[in-house]
């Protein structure tokens, strides 16, 4: 694992957390990744150890029982996890987006009631945004929450929901006013714990990003108490979740950095032992050029990711920075994984080496919610508006 200058600049308690994460990954995760990933098995024992370490409270304030880490240190944690097994990073990412929505926008009562439970991993979950007919266009969601005297009755479907099976709580994006103009003014965000009417329809089978549960959910007359409306005011749901998605984009960027780094390290190690024409292939200029490009992509993506994380820590709007980091880092992960496969030759196409897993995981980073087409469109729109 590469230590960066930024690691040395982190406060002492954050450096201790990073060291503990490194030790945990080497002792408790790396020896089991191949079997868990191959069989697509949820890593329940590893998750319990993550809870004991406090990782479900990484970015939650210490006042609520969290670790209170900076987003920059959180990004470094995600980078480390992803270099060993990317799937684990998704287990805490969606959960912390849920927590961020409550911590940033919830009422005082909601923060006191839910954030300690989120930090402890007692309540663990994610965000319910995407629907079968709605991906990046969140204003097109069809899940409806009708107000009653007791609260809300929710009907609809969600898909591609991380932590949908083994988690027990979601920040659920719903329509509370179907006639609102513009549409986002009719959207609200609910704290939705599992209960009657909240059904997991199926776990989706995936090419990569295995082991973690990604599900389709349905809501049939599912009831949510009125005091679970985040912030207590209807019509603010889209704005509330977008801030959390900045944290999510930084997480995805850090995953890309981790995968790109792992691919580079595997390629270097293999090139030092594989020989052709009487010398290690790392001494051939063609291989050296590939390694140089891989290292340059990695460091560029890492710097963009830390820049976005620092802006988030300062409380600044950073959707552009987070989007740029996510775009660059996930492309770096894919390109580095392909080059690592090429350097490994035929062995890179087998499961005997981890580079084929890096390739499968990297492909998923390009195709998830808020995909790259939308990311590029949004970044282009930003620059066009900002242009003189």
């Amino acid at each position: 694992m590469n230590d960066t200058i930024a690691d040395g600049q982190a406060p002492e308690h954050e450096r201790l957390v990073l060291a503990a994460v490194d030790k945990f990954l080497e002792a408790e995760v790396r020896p089991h990744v191949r079997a868990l990933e191959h069989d697509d098995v949820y890593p329940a024992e590893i998750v319990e150890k993550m809870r004991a370490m406090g990782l479900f409270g990484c970015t939650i304030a210490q006042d609520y029982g969290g670790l209170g880490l900076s987003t920059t240190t959180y990004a470094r944690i995600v980078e480390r996890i992803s270099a060993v097994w990317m799937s684990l990073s998704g287990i805490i990412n969606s959960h912390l987006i849920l927590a961020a929505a409550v911590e940033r926008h919830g009422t005082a009562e909601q923060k006191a009631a839910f954030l300690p439970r989120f930090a402890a991993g007692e309540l663990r979950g994610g965000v319910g945004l995407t629907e079968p007919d709605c991906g990046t266009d969140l204003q097109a969601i069809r899940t409806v929450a009708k107000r009653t005297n007791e609260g809300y009755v929710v009907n609809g479907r969600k898909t591609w929901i991380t932590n949908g099976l083994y988690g027990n709580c979601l920040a659920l994006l719903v329509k509370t006013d179907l006639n609102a103009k513009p549409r986002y003014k009719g959207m609200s965000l609910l704290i939705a714990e599992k209960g009657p009417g909240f059904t997991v329809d199926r776990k989706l089978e995936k090419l990569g990003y295995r082991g973690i549960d990604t599900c389709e959910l349905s809501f049939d007359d599912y009831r949510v108490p009125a005091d679970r409306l985040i912030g207590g005011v209807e019509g603010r749901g889209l704005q509330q979740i977008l801030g959390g998605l900045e944290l999510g984009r930084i997480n995805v960027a850090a995953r890309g950095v981790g995968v790109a780094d792992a691919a580079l390290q595997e390629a270097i190690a293999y090139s030092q032992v594989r020989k052709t024409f009487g010398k290690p292939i790392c001494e051939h200029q063609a291989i050296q050029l590939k390694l140089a490009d891989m290292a340059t992509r990695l460091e560029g993506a890492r710097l963009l990711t830390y820049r976005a994380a620092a802006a988030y820590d300062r409380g600044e709007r950073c959707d552009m920075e987070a989007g740029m980091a996510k775009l660059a880092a996930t492309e770096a992960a894919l390109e580095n994984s392909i080059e690592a496969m090429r350097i490994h030759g035929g062995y890179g196409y087998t499961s005997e080496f981890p580079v084929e897993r890096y390739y499968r995981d990297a492909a998923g980073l390009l195709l998830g919610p808020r995909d790259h087409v939308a990311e590029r469109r949004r970044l282009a729109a930003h620059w066009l508006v900002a242009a003189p």
Side-chain angles (χ1 to χ4, degrees):
M1 176 63 60
N2 285 337
D3 286 333
T4 67
I5 293 175
D7 287 344
Q9 294 173 344
E12 182 179 1
H13 76 282
E14 298 199 352
R15 293 199 300 271
L16 292 174
V17 171
L18 290 170
V21 168
D22 285 340
K23 184 176 180 181
F24 162 72
L25 290 170
E26 291 306 315
E28 306 292 344
V29 180
R30 192 181 296 276
H32 309 291
V33 170
R34 185 174 178 181
L36 289 169
E37 212 275 345
H38 179 271
D39 296 336
D40 198 11
V41 174
Y42 182 76
E45 292 184 7
I46 292 175
V47 171
E48 286 304 309
K49 291 173 182 176
M50 292 169 68
R51 286 179 59 179
M53 293 176 66
L55 294 183
F56 286 96
C58 274
T59 58
I60 298 173
Q62 293 179 353
D63 289 345
Y64 297 107
L67 296 179
L69 301 177
S70 67
T71 309
T72 304
T73 294
Y74 171 57
R76 290 196 284 273
I77 290 173
V78 172
E79 179 183 336
R80 284 162 157 78
I81 291 173
S82 299
V84 177
W85 191 24
M86 193 189 79
S87 294
L88 290 182
S89 66
I91 292 174
I92 57 174
N93 176 46
S94 295
H95 171 81
L96 290 172
I97 296 175
L98 160 65
V102 175
E103 190 164 9
R104 281 189 162 193
H105 305 289
T107 64
E109 293 78 12
Q110 289 169 345
K111 293 177 185 179
F114 288 99
L115 289 176
R117 299 173 71 192
F118 292 154
E122 173 192 343
L123 279 182
R124 185 177 65 76
V127 290
L129 309 180
T130 307
E131 299 186 0
D133 296 320
C134 161
T136 58
D137 182 12
L138 291 179
Q139 294 188 68
I141 64 168
R142 298 180 183 179
T143 298
V144 174
K146 291 186 178 180
R147 185 67 188 259
T148 67
N149 292 333
E150 294 78 27
Y152 295 91
V153 178
V154 180
N155 285 279
R157 295 178 64 200
K158 298 290 181 179
T159 192
W160 292 106
I161 308 304
T162 300
N163 293 330
L165 180 59
Y166 294 100
N168 51 17
C169 187
L170 293 176
L172 185 64
L173 190 64
V174 296
K175 285 283 183 70
T176 46
D177 183 353
L178 296 174
N179 300 313
K181 300 292 183 182
R183 292 178 296 170
Y184 69 84
K185 291 187 175 181
M187 304 172 71
S188 301
L189 201 60
L190 303 175
I191 302 171
E193 295 185 65
K194 282 186 174 178
F198 184 140
T199 305
V200 179
D201 294 328
R202 67 183 179 117
K203 175 186 172 183
L204 298 171
E205 303 296 328
K206 306 183 297 294
L207 173 68
Y209 199 37
R210 293 165 63 81
I212 189 172
D213 47 316
T214 306
C215 301
E216 289 186 350
L217 311 175
S218 60
F219 301 89
D220 299 297
D221 290 335
Y222 165 65
R223 297 183 179 275
V224 181
D227 63 2
R228 305 297 175 85
L229 172 67
I230 294 180
V233 179
E234 292 183 2
R236 298 180 180 176
L238 187 61
Q239 297 93 320
Q240 290 169 344
I241 200 60
L242 288 179
L245 290 179
E246 290 176 0
L247 181 64
R249 286 189 175 95
I250 292 167
N251 173 288
V252 173
R255 291 189 217 181
V257 172
V259 173
D261 193 359
L264 172 61
Q265 300 310 319
E266 287 289 331
I268 291 172
Y270 184 78
S271 71
Q272 291 172 337
V273 298
R274 176 74 169 97
K275 293 182 178 180
T276 62
F277 304 103
K279 60 182 179 180
I281 63 173
C282 63
E283 296 182 16
H284 294 297
Q285 188 178 55
I287 300 299
Q288 293 173 350
L289 293 175
K290 288 182 181 295
L291 294 173
D293 286 343
M294 291 170 72
T296 302
R297 277 193 293 268
L298 168 64
E299 289 306 315
R302 179 177 278 141
L303 290 172
L304 283 170
T305 300
Y306 292 167
R307 175 173 176 254
Y312 190 93
D313 281 334
R314 292 192 298 268
E316 299 173 2
R317 176 177 174 177
C318 59
D319 54 336
M320 181 192 72
E321 290 83 357
M324 291 173 69
K326 173 179 174 288
L327 181 61
T330 54
E331 292 286 355
L334 183 64
E335 292 173 20
N336 277 17
S337 67
I338 291 173
E339 292 293 13
M341 291 181 74
R342 286 172 170 159
I343 289 170
H344 279 70
Y347 285 112
Y349 201 61
T350 72
S351 60
E352 294 183 28
F353 290 84
V355 292
E356 58 87 25
R357 170 164 56 86
Y358 302 150
Y359 173 75
R360 290 186 288 105
D361 283 347
L365 292 174
L366 306 182
L367 301 174
R370 272 52 67 199
D371 62 36
H372 276 202
V373 174
E375 206 73 74
R376 286 189 170 98
R377 185 173 64 241
R378 191 170 53 80
L379 288 169
H382 176 93
W383 287 110
L384 286 171
V385 170

